[in-house]
Amino acid sequence: TISEVHPSTVLSDILTNTTWNASGSPYIVSNTIHIRAGVTLTIQPGVQVQFFGNYALQVDGTLQAVGTSNQPVTFTSGKSFPQRGDWQGLVFTASSSNNVCVLSNVVVQYAQVGVNCTASSPQIVNSTIQYCSQQGIYLTRSSPLIQGCTIQQNSSYGIYCYDTSSPQVLGNQILANGSYGIYLYGTSVSNHNCLPVIQGNTINGNVSYALYAYYYYQAAQTVIDARSNWWGTADVTLISGMIYDYAKNTSWSPVVN
């Protein structure tokens, strides 16, 4: 049997607990949609969410988008010939429910910033974030779990961490982004350094540094844990050339292990 596709047009904010399922897919978004505080949007495997214009899905409550490896949840441009930056991206705000929010087996593509978090820490696992016109993931004072993801071919950084953002970045593929693979930017103010754990990743083929860390408070006493990653080579000299840290800037950059 061939199941018919019945597109669903999303016209207004998510005000009550709501589930989007495959039978209603694709979900058509033609304005910015807010998931209100205290409300959960559940998106089931195989759902496509298509954005027709410069709009975002803003999470002030809870988003649980859980696909499978065979049936991911896809957030993408609605255009027949999509381009980077066609829509804004997924935005998690300070009122969202942190690690109760889950992106698992999702694809986010053709956005401006794929996943943008401010004072919020969702779980981002086994997902693909690609073809964004700016960063794949942009973190401000946010410390999500980012694990098992492919973050590739975004025009700027793969992952940008600002201020106190200290994510667990574990076992990802961070590939062929248009600038740094991972950019850690402190504020040069006490207690406002990013202190992520970056382990078990492949960080390779990015246009500029694989890992760039800058503007840290008391940089010489600050250590970033970036052990057990694959940088595309086993040559220690080549690896050190891909990392911008204390060895290159003793004033503002921390030590990267």
Side-chain angles (χ1 to χ4, degrees), residues 96-114:
S96 68
S97 57
N98 288 314
N99 64 358
V100 179
C101 290
V102 179
L103 300 176
S104 176
N105 285 292
V106 309
V107 176
V108 181
Q109 58 189 10
Y110 299 112
Q112 292 157 27
V113 175

Side-chain angles (χ1 to χ4, degrees), residues 118-151:
T118 300
S120 58
S121 301
Q123 298 182 59
I124 309 169
V125 296
N126 299 329
S127 295
T128 298
I129 302 169
Q130 61 189 1
Y131 314 142
C132 295
S133 63
Q134 299 175 36
Q135 300 82 17
I137 298 176
Y138 190 116
L139 305 177
T140 303
R141 300 186 309 281
S142 299
S143 301
L145 172 66
I146 305 170
Q147 185 167 25
C149 295
T150 298
I151 302 165

Side-chain angles (χ1 to χ4, degrees), residues 1 10 12 22 52 54 70-71 82 103 112 150 162 187 194 196 202 205:
T1 60
V10 185
S12 58
F52 284 80
N54 185 31
N70 294 330
Q71 288 190 302
L103 300 176
Q112 292 157 27
T150 298
Y162 175 66
T187 63
C194 337
T202 296

